[in-house]
């Protein structure tokens, strides 16, 4: 079976193949990296992935798009755009936005409850 969403691949952010992982276009993100990413979103301070690489907050509209939704800005209801907070792991060229981290957290919560 070929998983077009990269579900069987190692985590984009730490390179490990540990479950549970949430699939993404460029590859999945694992539970530990979702947790670390959500902490970065919360206070903006850098964190380390389980592999020891740096996770850092990115807000520049020019920085890379989210690997999971392909966006770098959020359109508000008046049609204004504001930068979408992203967390990147520069060592692995992996990026995920705050919205996708929230979504991944929800998916994992459900998966872990089963
Ligand atoms: Zn990971
Ligand atoms: Zn996203």
């Amino acid at each position: 079976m070929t998983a077009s969403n990269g579900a069987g691949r190692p985590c984009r952010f730490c390179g490990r193949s540990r479950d549970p992982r949430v699939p993404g276009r460029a590859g999945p993100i694992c539970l530990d990296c979702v947790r670390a990413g959500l902490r970065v979103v919360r206070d903006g301070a850098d964190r380390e992935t389980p592999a020891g690489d740096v996770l850092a907050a990115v807000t520049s509209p020019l920085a890379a798009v989210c690997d999971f939704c392909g966006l770098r800005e959020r359109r508000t209801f008046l049609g204004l755009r504001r930068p979408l907070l992203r967390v990147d792991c520069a060592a692995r060229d992996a990026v995920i936005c705050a919205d996708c981290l929230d979504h991944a957290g929800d998916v994992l919560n459900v998966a872990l409850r089963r």
Side-chain angles (χ1 to χ4, degrees), residues 17-74:
S17 294
R18 204 197 275 178
D19 285 326
R21 279 164 289 164
V22 178
R25 300 172 177 198
I29 182 169
C30 75
L31 174 65
D32 293 336
C33 291
V34 170
R35 281 193 179 133
L38 285 169
R39 290 190 192 112
V40 174
V41 167
R42 197 171 56 208
D43 61 17
D46 292 356
R47 297 294 193 292
E48 268 188 13
T49 67
D53 296 319
V54 177
L55 284 178
V58 179
T59 52
S60 165
L62 300 175
V65 299
C66 170
D67 287 344
F68 289 74
C69 66
L71 299 179
R72 60 159 65 89
E73 53 191 9
R74 194 184 264 158

Side-chain angles (χ1 to χ4, degrees), residues 66-71 84 96-101:
C66 170
D67 287 344
F68 289 74
C69 66
L71 299 179
L84 185 55
I96 188 167
C97 74
D99 289 352
C100 290
L101 276 169

